[in-house]
Short mmCIF file of all heavy atoms in Angstrom, two decimals:
data_model
loop_
_atom_site.label_atom_id
_atom_site.label_comp_id
_atom_site.label_asym_id
_atom_site.label_seq_id
_atom_site.Cartn_x
_atom_site.Cartn_y
_atom_site.Cartn_z
N SER X 1 117.51 101.75 76.42
CA SER X 1 117.23 102.15 77.79
C SER X 1 116.88 100.92 78.62
O SER X 1 116.56 99.86 78.08
CB SER X 1 116.10 103.17 77.86
OG SER X 1 114.88 102.61 77.39
N GLY X 2 116.95 101.07 79.94
CA GLY X 2 116.58 99.98 80.82
C GLY X 2 117.75 99.16 81.34
O GLY X 2 117.63 98.52 82.37
N ALA X 3 118.87 99.19 80.64
CA ALA X 3 120.05 98.46 81.05
C ALA X 3 121.25 98.96 80.26
O ALA X 3 121.10 99.46 79.15
CB ALA X 3 119.88 96.96 80.84
N ALA X 4 122.43 98.79 80.80
CA ALA X 4 123.65 99.15 80.08
C ALA X 4 123.86 98.16 78.94
O ALA X 4 123.68 96.96 79.11
CB ALA X 4 124.84 99.13 81.03
N VAL X 5 124.23 98.68 77.78
CA VAL X 5 124.43 97.82 76.61
C VAL X 5 125.86 97.87 76.09
O VAL X 5 126.12 97.46 74.97
CB VAL X 5 123.45 98.21 75.48
CG1 VAL X 5 122.02 97.95 75.91
CG2 VAL X 5 123.63 99.66 75.08
N THR X 6 126.76 98.35 76.90
CA THR X 6 128.16 98.50 76.49
C THR X 6 128.76 97.21 75.94
O THR X 6 129.49 97.23 74.95
CB THR X 6 129.02 99.00 77.66
OG1 THR X 6 128.48 100.22 78.16
CG2 THR X 6 130.45 99.23 77.22
N SER X 7 128.46 96.09 76.57
CA SER X 7 129.05 94.82 76.17
C SER X 7 128.16 93.99 75.25
O SER X 7 128.53 92.88 74.87
CB SER X 7 129.41 94.00 77.40
OG SER X 7 128.26 93.69 78.16
N TYR X 8 127.01 94.51 74.90
CA TYR X 8 126.09 93.77 74.03
C TYR X 8 126.53 93.83 72.58
O TYR X 8 127.13 94.80 72.12
CB TYR X 8 124.68 94.36 74.12
CG TYR X 8 123.89 94.00 75.35
CD1 TYR X 8 124.33 94.35 76.62
CD2 TYR X 8 122.67 93.34 75.23
CE1 TYR X 8 123.59 94.02 77.74
CE2 TYR X 8 121.92 93.02 76.35
CZ TYR X 8 122.39 93.37 77.60
OH TYR X 8 121.63 93.06 78.71
N CYS X 9 126.19 92.77 71.86
CA CYS X 9 126.26 92.84 70.41
C CYS X 9 124.97 93.53 69.95
O CYS X 9 123.89 93.23 70.46
CB CYS X 9 126.32 91.44 69.81
SG CYS X 9 126.10 91.38 68.02
N MET X 10 125.09 94.43 69.00
CA MET X 10 123.92 95.08 68.45
C MET X 10 123.92 94.93 66.94
O MET X 10 124.97 94.77 66.32
CB MET X 10 123.87 96.55 68.85
CG MET X 10 123.85 96.76 70.36
SD MET X 10 123.40 98.44 70.87
CE MET X 10 121.65 98.43 70.51
N GLY X 11 122.73 94.98 66.37
CA GLY X 11 122.64 94.80 64.93
C GLY X 11 121.46 95.51 64.33
O GLY X 11 120.51 95.90 65.02
N TRP X 12 121.52 95.67 63.02
CA TRP X 12 120.42 96.21 62.24
C TRP X 12 119.91 95.11 61.31
O TRP X 12 120.70 94.41 60.67
CB TRP X 12 120.85 97.41 61.40
CG TRP X 12 121.13 98.65 62.17
CD1 TRP X 12 122.34 99.14 62.56
CD2 TRP X 12 120.15 99.59 62.65
NE1 TRP X 12 122.20 100.32 63.24
CE2 TRP X 12 120.86 100.62 63.31
CE3 TRP X 12 118.76 99.66 62.58
CZ2 TRP X 12 120.21 101.72 63.90
CZ3 TRP X 12 118.11 100.75 63.18
CH2 TRP X 12 118.84 101.75 63.82
N PHE X 13 118.60 94.98 61.25
CA PHE X 13 117.95 94.03 60.35
C PHE X 13 116.89 94.79 59.56
O PHE X 13 116.46 95.87 59.95
CB PHE X 13 117.30 92.90 61.14
CG PHE X 13 118.28 92.02 61.87
CD1 PHE X 13 118.82 92.41 63.08
CD2 PHE X 13 118.67 90.80 61.32
CE1 PHE X 13 119.74 91.61 63.75
CE2 PHE X 13 119.59 89.99 61.99
CZ PHE X 13 120.12 90.40 63.19
N ARG X 14 116.47 94.21 58.45
CA ARG X 14 115.42 94.85 57.67
C ARG X 14 114.50 93.80 57.06
O ARG X 14 114.90 92.66 56.84
CB ARG X 14 116.01 95.73 56.57
CG ARG X 14 116.76 94.98 55.47
CD ARG X 14 117.43 95.96 54.53
NE ARG X 14 118.09 95.29 53.42
CZ ARG X 14 118.83 95.91 52.50
NH1 ARG X 14 119.00 97.22 52.57
NH2 ARG X 14 119.38 95.22 51.53
N GLN X 15 113.27 94.21 56.80
CA GLN X 15 112.30 93.31 56.21
C GLN X 15 111.40 94.07 55.25
O GLN X 15 110.75 95.04 55.64
CB GLN X 15 111.46 92.63 57.29
CG GLN X 15 110.53 91.56 56.74
CD GLN X 15 109.94 90.70 57.83
OE1 GLN X 15 109.87 91.11 59.00
NE2 GLN X 15 109.51 89.51 57.47
N ALA X 16 111.37 93.63 54.01
CA ALA X 16 110.51 94.21 52.99
C ALA X 16 109.24 93.36 52.88
O ALA X 16 109.27 92.16 53.20
CB ALA X 16 111.22 94.27 51.66
N PRO X 17 108.13 93.93 52.42
CA PRO X 17 106.89 93.16 52.28
C PRO X 17 107.09 91.91 51.43
O PRO X 17 107.67 91.98 50.35
CB PRO X 17 105.94 94.15 51.60
CG PRO X 17 106.44 95.49 52.05
CD PRO X 17 107.94 95.34 52.05
N GLY X 18 106.62 90.78 51.93
CA GLY X 18 106.73 89.54 51.19
C GLY X 18 108.09 88.87 51.24
O GLY X 18 108.28 87.83 50.59
N LYS X 19 109.02 89.43 51.98
CA LYS X 19 110.36 88.86 52.07
C LYS X 19 110.73 88.51 53.51
O LYS X 19 110.13 89.01 54.46
CB LYS X 19 111.39 89.82 51.49
CG LYS X 19 111.25 90.04 49.99
CD LYS X 19 112.42 90.83 49.44
CE LYS X 19 112.33 90.97 47.94
NZ LYS X 19 113.50 91.71 47.39
N GLU X 20 111.74 87.67 53.65
CA GLU X 20 112.23 87.28 54.97
C GLU X 20 113.05 88.42 55.57
O GLU X 20 113.64 89.23 54.86
CB GLU X 20 113.09 86.03 54.86
CG GLU X 20 112.36 84.80 54.36
CD GLU X 20 111.33 84.30 55.34
OE1 GLU X 20 111.57 84.38 56.56
OE2 GLU X 20 110.28 83.82 54.89
N ARG X 21 113.08 88.44 56.90
CA ARG X 21 113.92 89.41 57.59
C ARG X 21 115.39 89.07 57.33
O ARG X 21 115.79 87.91 57.41
CB ARG X 21 113.63 89.40 59.08
CG ARG X 21 114.40 90.44 59.87
CD ARG X 21 113.88 90.58 61.29
NE ARG X 21 112.50 91.02 61.31
CZ ARG X 21 111.85 91.39 62.41
NH1 ARG X 21 112.46 91.36 63.58
NH2 ARG X 21 110.58 91.76 62.33
N GLU X 22 116.19 90.07 57.00
CA GLU X 22 117.59 89.84 56.71
C GLU X 22 118.49 90.76 57.53
O GLU X 22 118.12 91.87 57.87
CB GLU X 22 117.87 90.03 55.22
CG GLU X 22 117.64 91.44 54.72
CD GLU X 22 118.01 91.61 53.25
OE1 GLU X 22 118.43 90.62 52.62
OE2 GLU X 22 117.87 92.74 52.74
N GLY X 23 119.68 90.27 57.82
CA GLY X 23 120.64 91.05 58.56
C GLY X 23 121.25 92.13 57.70
O GLY X 23 121.48 91.94 56.50
N VAL X 24 121.53 93.27 58.29
CA VAL X 24 122.15 94.40 57.61
C VAL X 24 123.58 94.62 58.12
O VAL X 24 124.52 94.71 57.34
CB VAL X 24 121.32 95.68 57.78
CG1 VAL X 24 122.05 96.89 57.18
CG2 VAL X 24 119.95 95.52 57.14
N SER X 25 123.71 94.70 59.44
CA SER X 25 125.02 94.93 60.03
C SER X 25 125.05 94.46 61.48
O SER X 25 124.01 94.30 62.10
CB SER X 25 125.40 96.41 59.95
OG SER X 25 124.56 97.19 60.78
N TRP X 26 126.27 94.29 62.00
CA TRP X 26 126.47 93.84 63.37
C TRP X 26 127.66 94.59 63.96
O TRP X 26 128.66 94.83 63.28
CB TRP X 26 126.76 92.33 63.40
CG TRP X 26 125.68 91.53 62.76
CD1 TRP X 26 124.62 90.92 63.39
CD2 TRP X 26 125.53 91.25 61.37
NE1 TRP X 26 123.82 90.28 62.47
CE2 TRP X 26 124.35 90.47 61.21
CE3 TRP X 26 126.27 91.58 60.23
CZ2 TRP X 26 123.90 90.01 59.98
CZ3 TRP X 26 125.82 91.13 58.99
CH2 TRP X 26 124.66 90.36 58.87
N ILE X 27 127.55 94.94 65.23
CA ILE X 27 128.63 95.68 65.87
C ILE X 27 128.77 95.24 67.32
O ILE X 27 127.80 95.20 68.07
CB ILE X 27 128.39 97.20 65.75
CG1 ILE X 27 129.56 97.99 66.34
CG2 ILE X 27 127.07 97.61 66.39
CD1 ILE X 27 129.53 99.47 65.97
N ALA X 28 130.00 94.92 67.72
CA ALA X 28 130.30 94.49 69.07
C ALA X 28 130.53 95.70 69.98
O ALA X 28 130.62 96.83 69.52
CB ALA X 28 131.53 93.59 69.07
N GLY X 29 130.65 95.43 71.27
CA GLY X 29 130.88 96.50 72.22
C GLY X 29 132.17 97.26 71.95
O GLY X 29 132.27 98.45 72.27
N SER X 30 133.14 96.59 71.34
CA SER X 30 134.41 97.21 70.99
C SER X 30 134.31 98.08 69.75
O SER X 30 135.28 98.74 69.38
CB SER X 30 135.46 96.13 70.75
OG SER X 30 135.11 95.34 69.63
N SER X 31 133.15 98.06 69.09
CA SER X 31 132.87 98.73 67.82
C SER X 31 133.38 97.97 66.60
O SER X 31 133.24 98.46 65.48
CB SER X 31 133.41 100.17 67.80
OG SER X 31 132.66 100.99 68.69
N ARG X 32 133.95 96.80 66.82
CA ARG X 32 134.28 95.93 65.70
C ARG X 32 132.96 95.60 65.00
O ARG X 32 131.98 95.24 65.65
CB ARG X 32 134.92 94.63 66.20
CG ARG X 32 135.37 93.69 65.10
CD ARG X 32 136.72 94.10 64.57
NE ARG X 32 137.29 93.09 63.69
CZ ARG X 32 137.07 93.03 62.38
NH1 ARG X 32 136.31 93.94 61.78
NH2 ARG X 32 137.64 92.08 61.66
N ASN X 33 132.92 95.74 63.67
CA ASN X 33 131.65 95.58 62.98
C ASN X 33 131.79 94.98 61.60
O ASN X 33 132.89 94.88 61.04
CB ASN X 33 130.93 96.94 62.89
CG ASN X 33 131.69 97.94 62.06
OD1 ASN X 33 131.54 98.00 60.84
ND2 ASN X 33 132.51 98.75 62.72
N ASP X 34 130.68 94.59 61.03
CA ASP X 34 130.64 94.02 59.69
C ASP X 34 129.29 94.32 59.09
O ASP X 34 128.33 94.62 59.81
CB ASP X 34 130.89 92.51 59.75
CG ASP X 34 131.29 91.93 58.41
OD1 ASP X 34 131.57 92.71 57.47
OD2 ASP X 34 131.33 90.69 58.29
N HIS X 35 129.21 94.25 57.76
CA HIS X 35 127.98 94.53 57.05
C HIS X 35 127.68 93.44 56.04
O HIS X 35 128.59 92.79 55.51
CB HIS X 35 128.08 95.87 56.31
CG HIS X 35 128.23 97.05 57.22
ND1 HIS X 35 129.43 97.38 57.81
CD2 HIS X 35 127.32 97.97 57.65
CE1 HIS X 35 129.27 98.45 58.56
NE2 HIS X 35 128.01 98.83 58.48
N ALA X 36 126.41 93.24 55.77
CA ALA X 36 125.99 92.27 54.77
C ALA X 36 126.42 92.74 53.38
O ALA X 36 126.53 93.94 53.12
CB ALA X 36 124.48 92.08 54.82
N GLY X 37 126.66 91.78 52.50
CA GLY X 37 127.16 92.09 51.16
C GLY X 37 126.40 93.16 50.41
O GLY X 37 127.03 94.06 49.83
#
């Protein structure tokens, strides 16, 4: 909310206790996407 995000890249990240934050997935405005191994 607050602004249109149609053209933004969006992603999911996760962080477990005692570990570094890591990327999970990424998706462009076109819906082209990729996921971590």
Side-chain angles (χ1 to χ4, degrees):
S1 63
V5 295
T6 303
S7 63
Y8 283 61
C9 169
M10 301 194 73
W12 289 100
F13 294 81
R14 67 186 184 185
Q15 186 168 22
K19 294 188 176 182
E20 298 292 324
R21 183 168 298 189
E22 64 177 1
V24 174
S25 67
W26 303 265
I27 183 167
S30 64
S31 290
R32 183 82 170 89
N33 64 87
D34 198 10
H35 296 78

